[in-house]
Amino acid sequence: MSLFSTIHNSAGALQSAQIGLQTVGNNIANANTEGYIRQNYIQTTPAPSRSGQLIIGHGVRPAGITQQIDQALAERMWDAGSQLASGALQDKTLTQLLSLMNDLDGTGLNDELTALNGALHDLANEPNDASLRQVVILTAESLTLKMNRTHKEALRVRSDLDAALVDTVDRVNDLGEKIAKLNLQISTIEGGRLIGSDATGLRDDRYRAIEELSQLIDVNVQEQATGTVSIFVQGDYLVSEIYNRELKIDYTKVEEGGEIRFRDNNAELQLSGGELYAIKRGRDVQVGEVLNDLDDLARTLAREFNTLHSQGQGHRGYDSLTTAEAFVPDAALDAAGLAWTPEAGAFDLTLVDEAGKRLSTHRIDVRLGDPDRDGGSTVASIIADIDRIDGLSAELTPNGQLRIASDLPGVEFTFGGDTSGFVAAAGLNTFFVGRGAESLAVNSVLKDDPSMLAISRGGIGADTDGLTEIVDLLDADIEREGGVSIRDKYAKMANRLALATSNQQAATQGLQSFYATLQGEHLAITGVNMDEEALRMITYQRAFQAASRVIATASEMLELLTSL
């Protein structure tokens, strides 16, 4: 042991104190830098040496500068952030869908249903009032327009989600590529973890990229021995060290809006959290259920009204009538393109004069089954049966529509006694037209001439039995719907959506609290504490001063020795 060794050890202490002070200064400088992870300066004692009976130490050596982070806590926070991002986006989608109902401001579908029911009641009190017939038609048209708009707005929400899906997949690909590149840089600088220091700036960038990625998809992050990270999504790797697997959107099933797949092997990406999961769930489940419910409501409304209306008569008969829909003429009735499959039965076609007096009634049979094997009816065979009636002609137009017309001046025709449901299923003498919420509309025949509103059952001007059956139809239990009324179907739909929105809001609030707790714990570890840094700064300052005093003392002793 010599004075030179003492000076050498103290010089190492000076250098170590300087590095420690530099680390403290860097932490303080980045105290407000988003995503910055606090750095720790690690010092170590070199191996001692033996001198006689003594084992002598050799001061201090810098061992490395590392990030101060709890990796397990960070992964829990990323997972919670992924679930929170998913919940918040689902909450937003459900809130948008719930606002489409507009039942709180008096302009919702329930209010439109109430208005139509009220108009029918008013007409029932004064069935011969032409203005009240017009009110019924206008009120029904307002209902259909509201249903059209609601469906259109739901489609717009889905379109926005489709656009967000494309953007989010691109962001995932960009972040995956960025993380893979940072993996290479970190591994290169750190020498595959052969040195004791972290590539702190690059690791901060990678940490921020992983945190952002965790908002988009649910990730499982595993750091490798080389300092790189591998990122898995439900067992499939997205990033493996320096390699990144890109995602794509497969539009093979266009009706489903596209599936997210890996570009290299076309495997479908399985998700359980993050914005990408929320977008897919919002598009396919939340919006999909609303669209299906609206279509189901529209079809039920049209079927129930049309079934009754198609068997009644207005103030006059038809001289010609063409369906709005096109059909497959030679197919069995369950494959002919009808609004629904009719039952085995028959319907009446009655010829009347201009005064509404009955001239003749003709029964048209409707048979189910295969046309060739079972002798089942087809649209073409029913057309032929109608065409054989003296005074009427029936044909299939070039567009595939069914057209019935009177051949005799002053002779008109009406429908009634339909036990098969074919007349309504084919769109003849109906109140509504359309196959779903998007296309539902009041029959143009009624809009052009409200006197065609079929309020009679026994003939033109004979009674108001048809109107009596339609009044309160919205609140009547429907056997084919399991005893649920049209209004109940809407209420069930609206209540289910309101409950889902409420539950999602509660779940999101819980996730926010949980995430905030984990984030607070994480920041307590990784964030810069100015008081602690100030103490460290004083510690390194005192160490530097003490090492300097040792060097000064050793130098004086050395000078004394050399002067002897």
Side-chain angles (χ1 to χ4, degrees):
M1 180 63 181
S2 67
L3 291 175
F4 289 106
S5 296
T6 301
I7 294 173
H8 177 75
N9 290 345
S10 298
L14 287 176
Q15 182 187 21
S16 181
Q18 288 175 334
I19 296 173
L21 194 60
Q22 182 179 352
T23 304
V24 168
N26 190 49
N27 284 337
I28 292 174
N30 288 280
N32 296 316
T33 302
E34 184 178 359
Y36 177 78
I37 298 175
R38 183 179 184 178
Q39 296 178 3
N40 274 334
Y41 171 48
I42 301 174
Q43 305 174 85
T44 187
T45 301
S49 61
R50 180 175 176 179
S51 177
Q53 298 296 316
L54 303 177
I55 297 178
I56 302 173
H58 295 290
V60 65
R61 295 290 183 272
I65 298 175
T66 61
Q67 291 180 318
Q68 183 171 299
I69 186 171
D70 185 333
Q71 191 63 34
L73 177 60
E75 291 177 8
R76 289 177 61 202
M77 186 185 70
W78 291 334
D79 182 65
S82 179
Q83 298 303 319
L84 175 59
S86 173
L89 188 51
Q90 290 185 65
D91 182 11
K92 178 182 176 182
T93 301
L94 287 169
T95 301
Q96 285 180 308
L97 293 173
L98 186 61
S99 69
L100 299 181
M101 302 298 108
N102 286 334
D103 284 336
L104 297 179
D105 61 8
T107 62
L109 281 172
N110 187 59
D111 300 282
E112 298 288 352
L113 292 171
T114 300
L116 176 57
N117 195 52
L120 289 169
H121 271 276
D122 293 340
L123 180 60
N125 293 330
E126 298 184 56
N128 293 320
D129 191 326
S131 64
L132 292 179
R133 286 173 174 259
Q134 184 69 39
V135 170
V136 169
I137 302 304
L138 292 175
T139 306
E141 187 174 19
S142 177
L143 169 62
T144 60
L145 289 175
K146 174 62 179 178
M147 199 165 289
N148 300 156
R149 286 194 298 270
T150 303
H151 190 275
K152 182 179 179 180
E153 287 300 310
L155 286 177
R156 184 189 60 78
V157 174
R158 187 172 71 177
S159 178
D160 290 344
L161 290 171
D162 282 334
L165 183 69
V166 175
D167 178 65
T168 305
V169 167
D170 288 341
R171 289 167 61 195
V172 170
N173 287 336
D174 291 342
L175 288 169
E177 182 180 4
K178 181 178 181 180
I179 292 170
K181 289 181 178 179
L182 286 168
N183 275 343
L184 177 60
Q185 292 177 286
I186 291 170
S187 179
T188 301
I189 291 179
E190 294 180 352
R193 299 299 287 170
L194 295 178
I195 63 175
S197 291
D198 292 338
T200 51
L202 293 173
R203 281 179 171 265
D204 286 348
D205 290 342
R206 188 175 67 183
Y207 170 85
R208 286 191 291 267
I210 294 174
E211 186 173 34
E212 184 178 352
L213 182 65
S214 71
Q215 303 293 308
L216 306 181
I217 54 177
D218 49 313
V219 297
N220 177 12
V221 182
Q222 297 181 9
E223 183 163 350
Q224 307 301 311
T226 58
T228 63
V229 295
S230 293
I231 299 178
F232 297 86
V233 182
Q234 296 294 308
D236 286 314
Y237 83 85
L238 184 71
V239 177
S240 178
E241 297 188 343
I242 63 174
Y243 301 103
N244 169 48
R245 296 176 71 195
E246 285 195 345
L247 303 178
K248 68 173 184 176
I249 303 177
D250 181 10
Y251 291 104
T252 303
K253 299 180 180 179
V254 177
E255 70 278 3
E256 297 181 6
E259 294 293 338
I260 305 170
R261 299 183 179 276
F262 288 101
R263 190 177 297 278
D264 55 1
N265 63 356
N266 208 41
E268 184 177 350
L269 178 68
Q270 303 297 323
L271 296 166
S272 63
E275 292 182 10
L276 207 53
Y277 171 78
I279 291 170
K280 277 185 56 52
R281 178 171 173 78
R283 183 197 65 187
D284 300 339
V285 178
Q286 294 163 344
V287 178
E289 286 182 350
V290 169
L291 291 172
N292 290 337
D293 286 343
L294 285 171
D295 284 336
D296 181 48
L297 180 66
R299 285 191 293 265
T300 302
L301 177 69
R303 181 168 185 173
E304 297 308 311
F305 267 79
N306 290 347
T307 297
L308 295 178
H309 190 274
S310 63
Q311 301 188 61
Q313 302 84 40
H315 279 182
R316 65 177 183 84
Y318 294 98
D319 53 18
S320 67
L321 183 61
T322 303
T323 61
E325 303 288 343
F327 308 111
V328 181
D330 298 320
L333 293 180
D334 60 356
L338 300 171
W340 60 84
T341 301
E343 300 175 357
F347 64 90
D348 293 333
L349 263 173
T350 301
L351 301 184
V352 298
D353 61 19
E354 290 181 330
K357 181 180 179 180
R358 181 179 302 175
L359 301 177
S360 62
T361 298
H362 305 270
R363 195 73 170 160
I364 306 297
D365 292 326
V366 177
R367 301 173 299 277
L368 298 185
D370 183 88
D372 298 323
R373 185 180 64 250
D374 305 319
S377 298
T378 64
V379 173
S381 70
I382 292 174
I383 289 175
D385 290 341
I386 297 173
D387 194 54
R388 280 192 286 269
I389 299 173
D390 290 337
L392 290 181
S393 63
E395 63 176 354
L396 203 67
T397 69
N399 293 328
Q401 298 160 292
L402 169 57
R403 182 178 184 274
I404 305 173
S406 171
D407 292 336
L408 301 174
V411 175
E412 299 171 340
F413 59 91
T414 63
F415 299 89
D418 187 3
T419 60
S420 66
F422 175 84
V423 178
L428 297 166
N429 192 32
T430 57
F431 190 94
F432 293 109
V433 296
R435 299 291 179 87
E438 185 177 22
S439 58
L440 186 70
V442 176
N443 196 325
S444 60
V445 174
L446 298 180
K447 290 194 288 186
D448 295 338
D449 185 1
S451 69
M452 296 300 292
L453 186 64
I455 65 173
S456 178
R457 267 286 186 272
I460 293 176
D463 53 54
T464 59
D465 291 347
L467 179 59
T468 301
E469 291 183 359
I470 292 178
V471 169
D472 290 326
L473 178 60
L474 294 171
D475 295 308
D477 294 339
I478 304 171
E479 184 177 351
R480 67 171 60 93
E481 297 292 333
V484 177
S485 69
I486 294 172
R487 194 188 298 273
D488 287 341
K489 283 180 73 71
Y490 173 71
K492 184 178 180 181
M493 164 190 168
N495 290 339
R496 183 169 62 245
L497 183 58
L499 181 61
T501 304
S502 176
N503 289 341
Q504 186 59 60
Q505 288 175 345
T508 302
Q509 290 175 355
L511 287 169
Q512 285 175 334
S513 299
F514 181 57
Y515 178 71
T517 299
L518 292 177
Q519 193 176 42
E521 294 177 5
H522 177 72
L523 289 175
I525 296 172
T526 62
V528 176
N529 185 309
M530 300 299 284
D531 292 335
E532 290 184 11
E533 296 303 322
L535 288 174
R536 291 186 181 186
M537 180 175 60
I538 294 172
T539 300
Y540 290 127
Q541 180 187 15
R542 293 287 187 265
F544 188 90
Q545 291 174 341
S548 300
R549 180 66 60 87
V550 171
I551 292 175
T553 301
S555 296
E556 291 178 4
M557 293 174 65
L558 188 60
E559 288 178 5
L560 180 61
L561 286 175
T562 55
S563 65
L564 293 178

